[in-house]
C-alpha cells in the first residue's frame, strides 16, 4: 500500500467494478481494497493485470459477512466506500430473487452498519470527509411512457424483483443519512455498456451470439427503449460524485442516448457486417449468411418488461460539471472490438467454445489489422 487515500470498492470484479477499479488506480490518487465474493458474474481475468500492484488489494468475501466487513474498515481505515456489489440481472431475478434480497438488501444494510460504526469512531476532520457512495440504477423508478425523463425527484416504482431489491437498498442508504447523519450519496445510472460485461446482458450477448452465428433473441417486438451510457463515463460520474458531491444528495446519470432495442441490435449487426463481414468468416460463409441481421429472432417477451428508461442528467451536469465523453457509435465500435479481441476472457465465463470459434473463424481479422 502507498500513502494515497485508501477506499473500499465492493463488487470490483464485476462489469462496472472492473472498469471503476482501473479508473481509480489510473488516477493515481487512491489505494483500492476490492471486496468481491466472485459470484458467476465476476471474472478474475478482468483485473488479473493488477495483481501485485502496490495500489491494489483484493479480498475475496461476501458483503453480508458483518465481521469481515468490520475488519476491513478497521484494518484499512478507508476515506470512503464505493458500493457496487449486487446481483444485477433482471431475468435471473424473475426466476429466483433470493440472492437479490440477500446481496442487494441484506448486504447493503450490513455495509451501512459497519460503515456507521467505523465513521462514528473517526476524528472530526476525517468524519467530515468520509463518504458512502451507493451505486444504483434508474430501474428503481419503474417504466416511462413515450415522454419525459427520470430525475432525482421521480418517485420510486420498481417493477422487477431486481429493481425492488435495489430500491430497498437505496431506501436504507437514504435512511442512514437521515437518521444517523452518515455521509452517503446515491447515484442512479441508466444502462451501461462496454468491456468486461457478462454476456447475459443485451449488448455482449448480441455481439457474441452474432459472431458465433447463433440467433439474436429480441424480446417482444423490440420496441422497448433503454438509455445507454459507455461504462467509463459512468465510472467518471461516480468518482466525481464521491469527490465533489454533497452528502444526502442523489445524482441521476445518463448520456441522453435512448435506443429502441431493435435499432440497437441492427446497429450491432451493421458494425459487425463492416468489421467482420460474414463472407470472410469461414463457417458463417458456409452457412450462407450475408448479414448478421439475418440472425435476429423475435422471442417471447420478458414478464413485466419495462417499456422505456430515460435520464435527465441536468443536476450532475450543472452541479458537478460531469458530461459523457464517449459517443454511442464510437463506444459501440470500441465494445465490439474488445469482445472480438478477448476470446480468453469470454471463455473464462462460458463453456470455452467461444475462444476456439473466434480463433478459427476470425483469424483473418488479426492478419488484416497487423498490416
Ligand atoms: P455485475 O453483476 O457485473 O457485477 C457484480 C459484482 O458484485 C460481481 O463481481 C460479483 O461477484 C459481486 N458480488 C455479487 N454479490 C456479492 C456479495 N454478496 N458480496 C460481494 N460481492 C458480490 O454488476 P454490474 O453491472 O457491474 O453492476 C454494478 C452495480 O451497478 C450494481 O449495483 C448495479 O445495480 C449498478 N448498475 C448497473 C448498471 C448496468 O447497466 N450494468 C446500470 C446502473 C447501475
Ligand atoms: P438487459 O441488458 O438485460 O438490461 P436491463 O433489463 O437491465 O435493461 O436488457 C436490455 C434490454 O434488452 C431490455 O429491454 C431487455 C432486452 N433484451 C432482449 O431483447 N434480449 C435479450 O436477450 C436480453 C438479455 C435483453
Amino acid at each position: 500500500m502507498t500513502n494515497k487515500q485508501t477506499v473500499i470498492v465492493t463488487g470490483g470484479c464485476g462489469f462496472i467494478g472492473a472498469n471503476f477499479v482501473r479508473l481509480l488506480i489510473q488516477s493515481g490518487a487512491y489505494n483500492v481494497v476490492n471486496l468481491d465474493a466472485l459470484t458467476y458474474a465476476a471474472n478474475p481475468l478482468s483485473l488479473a493485470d493488477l495483481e501485485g500492484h502496490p495500489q491494489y488489494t483484493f479480498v475475496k468475501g461476501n458483503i453480508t459477512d458483518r465481521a469481515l466487513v468490520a475488519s476491513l474498515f478497521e484494518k484499512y481505515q478507508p476515506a470512503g466506500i464505493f458500493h457496487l456489489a449486487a446481483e444485477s440481472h433482471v431475468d435471473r431475478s424473475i426466476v429466483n430473487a433470493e440472492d437479490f434480497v440477500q446481496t442487494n438488501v441484506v448486504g447493503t444494510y450490513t455495509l451501512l452498519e459497519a460503515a456507521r460504526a467505523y465513521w462514528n469512531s473517526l476524528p472530526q476532520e476525517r468524519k467530515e470527509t468520509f463518504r458512502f457512495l451507493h451505486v444504483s440504477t434508474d430501474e428503481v423508478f419503474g417504466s416511462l411512457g413515450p415522454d419525459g425523463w427520470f430525475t432525482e425527484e421521480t418517485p420510486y416504482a420498481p417493477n422487477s424483483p431486481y429493481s425492488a431489491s435495489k430500491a430497498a437498498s437505496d431506501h436504507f442508504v437514504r435512511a442512514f443519512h437521515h437518521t444517523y447523519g452518515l455521509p452517503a450519496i446515491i447515484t442512479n445510472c441508466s444502462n451501461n455498456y462496454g468491456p468486461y460485461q457478462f454476456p447475459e446482458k443485451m449488448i455482449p450477448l448480441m455481439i457474441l451470439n452474432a459472431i458465433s452465428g447463433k440467433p439474436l433473441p429480441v424480446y417482444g417486438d423490440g420496441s422497448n427503449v433503454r438509455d445507454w451510457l459507455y461504462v467509463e463515463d459512468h465510472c467518471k460520474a461516480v468518482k466525481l460524485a464521491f469527490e465533489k458531491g454533497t452528502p444526502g444528495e442523489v445524482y441521476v446519470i445518463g448520456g441522453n442516448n435512448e435506443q429502441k432495442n431493435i435499432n440497437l441490435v441492427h446497429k450491432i449487426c451493421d458494425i459487425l457486417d463492416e468489421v467482420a463481414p460474414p463472407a470472410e468468416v469461414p463457417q458463417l460463409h458456409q452457412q450462407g449468411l450475408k448479414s448478421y441481421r439475418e440472425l435476429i429472432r423475435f422471442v417471447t417477451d420478458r414478464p413485466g418488461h419495462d417499456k422505456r428508461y430515460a435520464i435527465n442528467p441536468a443536476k450532475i451536469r450543472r452541479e458537478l460539471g460531469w458530461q459523457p465523453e464517449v459517443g454511442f457509435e464510437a463506444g459501440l465500435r470500441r465494445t465490439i472490438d474488445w469482445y472480438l479481441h478477448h476470446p480468453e476472457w469470454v471463455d473464462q465465463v462460458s463453456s470455452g467454445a467461444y475462444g476456439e470459434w473466434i480463433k478459427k473463424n476470425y483469424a483473418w481479422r488479426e492478419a488484416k489489422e497487423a498490416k
Side-chain angles (χ1 to χ4, degrees):
M1 283 276 170
T2 57
N3 60 352
K4 304 168 193 294
Q5 275 202 64
T6 296
V7 289
I8 295 176
V9 174
T10 69
C13 296
F15 161 48
I16 299 172
N19 284 283
F20 187 65
V21 167
R22 279 179 195 289
L23 175 72
L24 288 186
I25 301 252
Q26 280 161 12
S27 77
Y30 296 97
N31 294 319
V32 175
V33 178
N34 171 15
L35 171 62
D36 197 299
L38 297 182
T39 69
Y40 81 93
N43 190 333
L45 283 187
S46 301
L47 293 176
D49 56 315
L50 289 183
E51 255 171 58
H53 192 291
Q55 284 165 255
Y56 180 66
T57 304
F58 175 65
V59 178
K60 182 175 184 303
N62 203 300
I63 58 166
T64 58
D65 182 343
R66 175 78 190 266
L68 171 68
V69 172
S71 75
L72 294 181
F73 276 109
E74 182 60 29
K75 179 170 177 188
Y76 293 104
Q77 297 286 307
I81 176 165
F82 294 92
H83 175 31
L84 286 83
E87 287 294 331
S88 68
H89 190 41
V90 174
D91 292 334
R92 282 181 191 255
S93 79
I94 292 170
V95 176
N96 185 345
E98 176 67 31
D99 290 346
F100 290 74
V101 175
Q102 278 308 317
T103 289
N104 300 358
V105 186
V106 179
T108 301
Y109 168 72
T110 307
L111 289 174
L112 284 165
E113 280 293 16
R116 178 164 79 98
Y118 165 72
W119 178 69
N120 274 328
S121 75
L122 290 175
Q124 193 54 33
E125 72 277 13
R126 292 206 65 209
K127 245 180 141 167
E128 277 165 22
T129 55
F130 181 85
R131 296 287 179 270
F132 188 111
L133 196 299
H134 179 61
V135 174
S136 192
T137 166
D138 62 351
E139 303 194 26
V140 298
F141 303 123
S143 185
L144 289 166
D147 307 312
W149 295 277
F150 297 136
T151 70
E152 290 76 8
E153 272 73 50
T154 306
Y156 276 51
N159 286 322
S160 73
Y162 162 63
S163 53
S165 67
K166 289 296 292 188
S169 71
D170 292 11
H171 291 323
F172 271 103
V173 175
R174 183 181 186 281
F176 268 61
H177 171 75
H178 187 80
T179 305
Y180 307 113
L182 186 73
I185 293 171
I186 299 174
T187 57
N188 296 93
C189 189
S190 60
N191 288 62
N192 284 214
Y193 70 102
Y196 306 109
Q197 189 168 30
F198 190 82
E200 65 185 351
K201 303 278 168 62
M202 152 82 124
I203 291 185
L205 180 124
M206 296 298 171
I207 296 171
L208 294 175
N209 276 17
I211 60 183
S212 314
K214 291 184 187 160
L216 307 180
V218 176
Y219 297 165
D221 62 1
S223 66
N224 299 66
V225 173
R226 295 293 183 266
D227 187 353
W228 294 94
L229 181 68
Y230 193 67
V231 61
E232 285 176 8
D233 280 325
H234 179 201
C235 292
K236 286 177 186 169
V238 168
K239 180 169 173 285
L240 203 57
F242 180 90
E243 291 168 349
K244 305 245 162 68
T246 307
E249 291 292 315
V250 173
Y251 300 91
V252 301
I253 306 168
N256 293 111
N257 176 37
E258 289 180 52
Q259 304 282 337
K260 264 191 188 154
N261 288 343
I262 186 62
N263 295 347
L264 170 52
V265 176
H266 283 154
K267 259 193 190 108
I268 292 170
C269 292
D270 296 350
I271 295 173
L272 278 170
D273 281 343
E274 186 195 312
V275 301
E280 296 182 36
V281 180
Q283 203 128 338
L284 301 185
H285 181 58
Q286 272 169 32
Q287 281 178 26
L289 199 76
K290 300 268 181 306
S291 162
Y292 291 96
R293 283 195 187 205
E294 292 162 33
L295 297 168
I296 295 173
R297 302 285 179 275
F298 291 96
V299 300
T300 309
D301 208 353
R302 168 188 283 173
H305 195 177
D306 283 338
K307 189 70 185 172
R308 175 172 167 258
Y309 301 147
I311 289 277
N312 179 351
K315 178 177 172 181
I316 191 164
R317 281 179 182 257
R318 187 179 62 243
E319 293 186 10
L320 305 185
W322 174 82
Q323 55 174 31
E325 291 165 25
V326 181
F328 192 50
E329 172 85 18
L332 205 50
R333 282 178 183 273
R334 233 194 254 183
T335 306
I336 288 173
D337 209 54
W338 189 86
Y339 281 96
L340 277 168
H341 281 103
H342 292 81
E344 69 299 336
W345 185 93
V346 178
D347 276 353
Q348 183 80 24
V349 287
S350 60
S351 65
Y354 277 121
E356 255 327 286
W357 173 278
I358 293 179
K359 275 183 226 132
K360 209 159 87 196
N361 284 284
Y362 291 80
W364 56 271
R365 213 174 158 264
E366 308 289 332
K368 208 169 173 181
E369 280 163 10
K371 278 182 197 156

